[in-house]
Amino acid sequence: RAKSAGRNQIAFFEGTMQTEVEQRLTLEHDLAKAQDLGELHMVMQAQVNEAGQAVGAELLMRWHNKDRGMVSPVVFIPMAEESGLIVRMRDWVIAQACEIALLLRRHACDFPLSVNVSPKQFRQADFVDKVTAILAHYELDGSHLIFEVTEGLFIDDLQETIARMSKLSALGIRFSIDDFGTGYSSLNYLKRLPLYELKIDKSFVQDIPGDANGTAIVGSILSMAKQFGLKVVAEGVETEAQARYLIANGCDSLQGFLYSRPQTPDAWLAALS
Ligand code: C2E
Ligand code: MG
Ligand code: MG
Ligand code: MG
């Protein structure tokens, strides 16, 4: 009996293509174990000023699975968000950011690190307490961190969001709106939130300087930011022409493959010496 069942099972796997749903489930299953298996790590990508000097870096998560190789965050981050796994990753990411900040400081690189915080991570009731505790554990001031949040955070519960952002601001943490202009763009919240920076999405950056609509959008973001007293960083800068346009129009810093690929902190430090 067992033998024939086994045969059936083999026939089943050989005979049918894995459906998309099954593939998703196995990927999610592997992702759920990734953190405990030590398969996650953070890489950093420079943000440079007009002189090309690093004035910051964004931390980006990477997942290397032994069977799958590198899995793109474009695939696993949305999956982690939908399944709720992203909540478990939250404190680890912030602790990693603190460790990297301390490592950089030991090598005389004293710029802030930008950390992506998704709405689900931010909305957990213990968020402010945990961030406070992690900073205290590393004896690190919040001014070393910039939290990148998306416009989705401002859809519900704006009062509570503002209250939390204010508490985190009191620790020195700054806030940047990631992918700015791609979300629910009620600009009304801009004046109510304790913000430091807007981050121009790479889909707009890709369109400059050739495309009239792209240029209009980027120009508007830059002038609006100036009126609100916000810094602007552009993501996805790949060409000199994009960089020239952004700098000429008052963009404070630039991030993209033109300057550096995301790399491990060790590789970053090795490049310094
Ligand atoms: P994001 O925060 O908007 O990050 C920018 C993405 O653009 C990164 O993709 C980066 O590698 C990529 N990029 C940088 N320069 C260029 C360029 O010049 N051209 C192009 N085409 N792309 C460029 P990545 O690393 O695949 O991350 C994708 C998204 O996953 C991030 O978008 C972010 O939303 C999310 N993510 C990554 N790490 C984390 C994390 O630790 N926590 C959370 N919550 N989300 C994360
Ligand atoms: Mg980001
Ligand atoms: Mg972004
Ligand atoms: Mg983006």
Side-chain angles (χ1 to χ4, degrees):
R1 236 188 130 251
K3 211 172 175 180
S4 78
R7 233 185 344 257
N8 284 341
Q9 222 163 5
I10 289 165
F12 173 76
F13 280 115
E14 280 174 352
T16 55
M17 292 281 286
Q18 241 193 340
T19 67
E20 223 168 278
V21 175
E22 285 168 334
Q23 275 174 21
R24 231 194 110 80
L25 284 175
T26 59
L27 188 63
E28 204 174 295
H29 179 80
D30 287 350
L31 181 59
K33 295 186 296 187
Q35 197 173 342
D36 290 340
L37 290 174
E39 293 181 345
L40 303 178
H41 68 278
M42 302 304 288
V43 290
M44 50 191 286
Q45 186 180 31
Q47 298 177 342
V48 306
N49 63 14
E50 61 184 287
Q53 296 156 330
V55 291
E58 179 177 12
L59 296 184
L60 295 156
M61 203 189 296
R62 293 293 177 260
W63 175 23
H64 186 268
N65 177 268
K66 66 175 179 357
D67 302 319
R68 300 173 185 276
M70 290 298 281
V71 184
S72 170
V74 179
V75 173
F76 78 79
I77 292 287
M79 180 172 274
E81 277 168 358
E82 282 155 33
S83 62
L85 287 169
I86 197 83
V87 172
R88 282 210 265 132
M89 296 169 172
R90 184 194 67 184
D91 299 348
W92 178 81
V93 170
I94 295 166
Q96 285 290 302
C98 291
E99 288 193 8
I100 295 167
L102 290 174
L103 177 71
L104 291 174
R105 203 169 63 180
R106 285 200 296 276
H107 291 80
C109 292
D110 217 356
F111 47 67
L113 295 174
S114 294
V115 181
N116 292 284
V117 177
S118 56
K120 266 200 183 160
Q121 296 176 315
F122 186 97
R123 289 204 180 107
Q124 298 301 306
D126 63 349
F127 186 53
V128 174
D129 289 345
K130 277 289 161 61
V131 172
T132 307
I134 295 166
L135 286 171
H137 174 83
Y138 288 99
E139 297 178 33
L140 199 70
D141 190 82
S143 61
H144 289 87
L145 302 182
I146 295 174
F147 284 171
E148 292 190 6
V149 297
T150 49
E151 291 164 278
L153 185 60
F154 311 125
I155 302 170
D156 310 309
D157 237 345
L158 195 58
Q159 287 302 343
E160 175 61 22
T161 299
I162 293 172
R164 275 188 204 185
M165 286 174 77
S166 303
K167 283 183 192 159
L168 293 164
S169 298
L171 300 173
I173 292 170
R174 286 169 280 177
F175 287 91
S176 178
I177 302 189
D178 204 353
D179 306 335
F180 184 72
T182 64
Y184 299 81
S185 40
S186 157
L187 299 176
N188 199 33
Y189 62 71
L190 280 185
K191 58 177 189 290
R192 298 182 55 197
L193 299 169
L195 294 175
Y196 170 71
E197 176 187 81
L198 302 181
K199 191 159 190 183
I200 305 179
D201 191 63
K202 58 176 173 289
S203 63
F204 302 130
V205 173
Q206 266 154 19
D207 288 342
I208 55 171
D211 176 81
N213 289 329
T215 311
I217 291 171
V218 169
S220 307
I221 294 175
L222 286 164
S223 69
M224 189 171 60
K226 192 155 288 174
Q227 291 174 56
F228 280 102
L230 300 172
K231 298 270 184 218
V232 183
V233 54
E235 71 172 20
V237 179
E238 294 182 354
T239 70
E240 293 287 356
Q242 290 164 350
R244 269 196 304 275
Y245 179 89
L246 288 160
I247 290 165
N249 287 278
C251 190
D252 299 282
S253 53
L254 311 173
Q255 177 183 345
F257 297 161
L258 180 61
Y259 304 100
S260 83
R261 296 265 163 181
Q263 55 187 329
T264 62
D266 287 342
W268 178 296
L269 292 175
L272 285 183
S273 53

